[in-house]
Amino acid sequence: MDNFSIIKDSLPSLLSGLAVTIKLTVISLFFASILGLVFGLFNISKNKVLKSIAVVYVDLIRGTPLIVQAFFIYFGLPGALDIKISAMFAGSLALSLNAGAYMAEIFRAGIQSLDKGQMEAARSLGLPYSKAMRKVILPQAIRRMTPAIINQFIISLKDTSILSVIGIQELTQSGEIVIASTYKSFQIWGAVAVMYLIIITLLSIISKRIERSMNI
């Protein structure tokens, strides 16, 4: 069987794995954005308790590898709490928590990059802090943060490959399964690399176009 036929026959399985990869990335980035916003706001808060919680979360997650976090959630928590967790749930949770810590720093930096006079002007007009943040500060900050958010999306997409260690059949795991039956490592890993490259290149192009359209 020639190389083209091997890749062609393997394509359905690889595409299925790619779909799981994209699903994992989208789910995790959705929840990571929420976590990032919450802990980013905690980090700039004048409340020392909230600020301390944000610092601990960010330092703890950024200070440990994603693979350790995935193992802890998938193997550690069920053993300690006597519960069952699916690999997909554990992977999504690990990736969300991991990306959330980096998103928190993106939100913090984005908000703090704005002139302090923006908030002062909004407050002087009678807007409460929460409304001023929601209506004035965040829209401007998100505009500046967009390239960094897309970059985090790319990083999270690549990080999904790590989750194959807990049995999630994403793109990398699908490639391993195909190789086990075909013994064609070079061809299959080449196809997997090309698929990652295409998706990441498209995201990079989108990021650059957004930057140009926003004049960032």
Side-chain angles (χ1 to χ4, degrees):
M1 186 180 291
D2 60 33
N3 292 337
F4 179 78
S5 297
I6 291 170
I7 294 173
K8 182 181 177 182
D9 292 343
S10 304
L11 205 53
S13 178
L14 296 179
L15 288 174
S16 176
L18 179 60
V20 174
T21 290
I22 294 173
K23 180 182 177 182
L24 264 172
T25 307
V26 171
I27 290 173
S28 66
L29 205 66
F30 172 78
F31 289 107
S33 297
I34 297 173
L35 289 170
L37 175 59
V38 171
F39 285 100
L41 291 174
F42 280 6
N43 211 324
I44 62 172
S45 172
K46 293 181 180 179
N47 186 309
K48 291 183 178 180
V49 174
L50 295 180
K51 190 176 181 68
S52 297
I53 291 172
V55 169
V56 170
Y57 166 67
V58 171
D59 288 351
L60 179 63
I61 296 298
R62 294 179 67 181
T64 54
L66 175 58
I67 190 170
V68 173
Q69 295 162 16
F71 279 147
F72 177 80
I73 293 171
Y74 188 57
F75 296 112
L77 287 182
L81 304 177
D82 193 26
I83 57 175
K84 290 184 178 180
I85 299 177
S86 69
M88 190 69 179
F89 176 81
S92 298
L93 180 57
L95 203 57
S96 297
L97 290 171
N98 186 271
Y102 292 93
M103 289 290 286
E105 286 298 282
I106 292 172
F107 273 97
R108 179 195 59 76
I111 293 170
Q112 291 183 332
S113 70
L114 298 176
D115 193 297
K116 291 182 179 179
Q118 297 276 354
M119 176 60 78
E120 293 171 358
R123 295 301 301 275
S124 68
L125 292 172
L127 292 177
Y129 180 85
S130 58
K131 193 168 185 178
M133 182 64 72
R134 189 172 69 252
K135 296 288 187 179
V136 179
I137 303 301
L138 282 178
Q140 296 182 71
I142 288 173
R143 182 173 177 269
R144 296 189 179 189
M145 292 185 295
T146 298
I149 291 172
I150 294 176
N151 185 58
Q152 184 58 49
F153 188 95
I154 293 171
I155 292 170
S156 294
L157 189 145
K158 290 189 287 187
D159 282 349
T160 58
S161 62
I162 296 173
L163 301 179
S164 62
V165 297
I166 60 173
I168 297 178
Q169 197 171 329
E170 41 66 68
L171 182 54
T172 301
Q173 178 81 328
S174 296
E176 292 176 351
I177 291 171
V178 171
I179 290 169
S181 60
T182 62
Y183 302 102
K184 300 293 183 180
S185 298
F186 179 82
Q187 294 88 335
I188 302 304
W189 284 130
V192 168
V194 168
M195 293 172 80
Y196 274 118
L197 182 62
I198 290 172
I199 298 298
I200 291 169
T201 300
L202 288 174
L203 288 171
S204 298
I205 291 171
I206 292 170
S207 177
K208 289 176 182 177
R209 288 188 175 180
I210 291 174
E211 286 184 47
R212 284 197 296 268
S213 68
M214 291 182 168
N215 294 318
I216 297 174

